[in-house]
Amino acid sequence: PDAWVIVDEILNGTDPSQATALAESLLEYFVEKGCRTFVSTHLPGLKMSAQENPRMVNAAMGFGDDGKPTFKLTKGMPGVSYPLDIARRIGVPEEVIESARKRMSSAEDKYQLALTGLQVKAQNLNEEIAGYEKRNKEMAGLKEKMEQCMKEAEEKKAEFDKEKNKKLKKELVQARSEIFSMIQKAREGAMKEKAEAGSRLKEMENRLTAKIKEPNSVPMENLKEGDPVWIIPFDREARLLKFDADGKLELLCGGIRMMLSTKDVMGIKKRKKIGARATVRSAMLNAQTEEKISSELSLLGLTGEEAASRLDKFLDQHILVETESVKIIHGKGVLKEKVLGYMEQSSYVKSFTSALPSQGGEGASVVILQ
């Protein structure tokens, strides 16, 4: 077992019919012994026997169209002998070759023709396989190029979205600057003009804020109870409790239930909370110059609306420079309640508490920023 048996032109010096029978028996004997056997032969019967035996494999050295050997081994098919063609090529007289061809039996002639046809088919099949492998390689290259194009397209889209948001945030910064300026002017005008200006400016800010959050928005008709939403006027996240019969929404924001119109609310994707701090910081970095600002703000003597406006600007500045905490002086009266209510709703404020007795006690608050 496992011995190698190599025989070149097995039994080629005796009667072909008996040689074929003896060679078949020898090969079967070697197979039964577990030997690895390699045999070369021109015996047609032995080739056919190997073709029908599942424990044997035919293999042949190929010839090209010009009749010359290709020196390539093809497995799975018997070889074709070309004695007459080789005799012609080496100069044997043509009349001798023709005489030999006439003397060949019709059965052997058909056998040679069948083998020749099989070899041609095998060669054509090999060419088709080679063509398929080439096309497969080309397809793999095209797939790789397509994936690269898709990657580049996604990168360009991401860059486009980044530039788009950058421009929108600059618009928001400009709008907030105009808001502050116009509110200052409105304070000097009549109450009606003041209300109209405030309404216009708030609508402008809501529109720009909604644009910035648009990539993370969810259509209102897709929302269901319990989903997160964004309150545009407050710039804060809330949870949808239910749709009211008159078209309004009941929301829960910071532990407070409220009713708002659908125009003031937009759906957002779950776990995609959009913080105002990141919006303001990235939007305002190039819009304002750095300057030293006080970490303490006194609102004494101001109305609730004036205090809210002053707080807006004060917190914007400190969010921009990433201040951790500030101090707000509001007194102990009505103004204190309004200021604390404002800070409860502000997305800038993480927490707040009364100041120490030495720092103003109940008349001031220390605010921790987000």
Side-chain angles (χ1 to χ4, degrees):
D2 294 329
W4 261 46
V5 177
I6 303 175
V7 186
D8 183 32
E9 295 289 355
I10 187 169
L11 297 172
N12 68 336
T14 187
D15 174 74
S17 61
Q18 294 185 48
T20 298
L22 183 55
E24 288 181 23
S25 298
L26 282 169
L27 292 184
E28 287 287 348
Y29 178 80
F30 292 145
V31 168
E32 292 297 331
K33 287 291 186 179
C35 299
R36 300 174 184 273
T37 306
F38 185 96
V39 172
S40 63
T41 184
H42 284 280
L43 297 173
L46 189 56
K47 297 178 186 180
M48 297 305 296
S49 175
Q51 194 72 15
E52 296 171 354
N53 193 321
R55 295 190 292 182
M56 301 180 189
V57 177
N58 267 314
M61 299 301 291
F63 285 81
D65 296 335
D66 56 359
K68 294 181 179 180
T70 62
F71 301 102
K72 292 181 179 180
L73 183 68
T74 304
K75 293 177 64 176
M77 58 171 291
V80 180
S81 299
Y82 298 94
L84 299 184
D85 293 336
I86 294 173
R88 179 182 288 109
R89 193 161 60 248
I90 64 176
V92 174
E94 188 65 31
E95 59 267 25
V96 175
I97 295 173
E98 286 302 317
S99 176
R101 190 182 301 279
K102 291 176 181 178
R103 294 171 187 272
M104 290 174 60
S105 69
S106 60
E108 187 172 353
D109 195 24
K110 290 179 180 178
Y111 168 78
Q112 290 290 343
L113 288 174
L115 283 184
T116 302
L118 182 61
Q119 189 175 51
V120 171
K121 290 180 180 179
Q123 184 177 351
N124 293 337
L125 180 61
N126 288 335
E127 291 175 356
E128 290 182 6
I129 291 174
Y132 170 78
E133 290 175 348
K134 181 181 178 181
R135 289 192 296 273
N136 193 41
K137 187 175 181 180
E138 291 174 352
M139 288 296 293
L142 289 174
K143 180 182 178 183
E144 185 177 350
K145 288 182 180 179
M146 184 178 295
E147 289 175 350
Q148 181 64 28
C149 289
M150 289 292 293
K151 182 179 178 182
E152 292 176 359
E154 289 174 358
E155 290 174 352
K156 288 181 180 180
K157 181 180 181 299
E159 185 65 25
F160 174 79
D161 291 340
K162 182 179 178 181
E163 289 298 319
K164 175 185 174 183
N165 279 340
K166 186 177 179 181
K167 290 180 180 180
L168 288 172
K169 288 172 182 178
K170 286 183 179 179
E171 288 185 38
L172 179 59
V173 171
Q174 182 63 31
R176 292 180 71 89
S177 177
E178 291 180 14
I179 288 172
F180 185 77
S181 175
M182 294 178 71
I183 286 178
Q184 290 296 103
K185 292 180 181 179
R187 287 198 180 107
E188 302 172 359
M191 290 299 294
K192 181 178 179 181
E193 294 174 349
K194 181 177 179 180
E196 290 177 354
S199 176
R200 277 174 45 219
L201 294 173
K202 180 53 68 176
E203 181 181 350
M204 182 189 305
E205 183 173 5
N206 288 352
R207 175 175 54 82
L208 291 171
T209 301
K211 280 186 178 180
I212 289 175
K213 294 178 176 61
E214 186 175 356
N216 293 308
S217 64
V218 174
M220 189 65 67
E221 60 268 19
N222 293 347
L223 291 177
K224 56 182 180 298
E225 295 177 2
D227 283 351
V229 296
W230 197 265
I231 303 176
I232 297 174
F234 298 162
D235 198 21
R236 189 167 182 179
E237 186 177 329
R239 183 161 59 88
L240 176 63
L241 295 181
K242 67 178 181 178
F243 290 91
D244 195 70
D246 59 0
K248 290 190 175 183
L249 306 176
E250 182 178 348
L251 309 176
L252 181 64
C253 179
I256 300 175
R257 290 176 179 264
M258 58 183 69
M259 299 293 293
L260 288 176
S261 172
T262 54
K263 68 181 180 64
D264 293 326
V265 177
M266 64 182 292
I268 58 174
K269 294 180 180 178
K270 290 184 178 180
R271 299 181 182 178
K272 293 286 185 179
K273 182 174 180 179
I274 306 166
R277 178 180 184 180
T279 299
V280 172
R281 182 183 303 141
S282 59
M284 297 181 70
L285 277 175
N286 297 322
Q288 296 182 354
T289 58
E290 290 191 15
E291 58 180 7
K292 189 172 182 180
I293 54 176
S294 172
S295 62
E296 182 177 305
L297 174 66
S298 176
L299 301 176
L300 297 177
L302 300 180
T303 65
E305 188 174 347
E306 291 170 341
S309 177
R310 189 73 60 84
L311 269 172
D312 270 338
K313 184 178 180 181
F314 179 74
L315 295 181
D316 277 351
Q317 291 173 328
H318 282 283
I319 285 292
L320 179 62
V321 297
E322 300 187 356
T323 304
E324 293 185 0
S325 64
V326 294
K327 178 182 175 183
I328 309 296
I329 303 173
H330 43 61
K332 301 179 181 180
V334 176
L335 180 60
K336 174 183 176 180
E337 296 178 4
K338 294 186 176 181
V339 170
L340 296 185
Y342 172 91
M343 289 192 294
E344 286 179 352
Q345 297 295 330
S346 175
S347 57
Y348 294 165
V349 177
K350 183 176 182 180
S351 63
F352 58 90
T353 186
S354 296
L356 297 174
S358 60
Q359 297 178 334
E362 296 294 329
S365 293
V366 175
V367 182
I368 306 299
L369 299 180
Q370 294 278 13

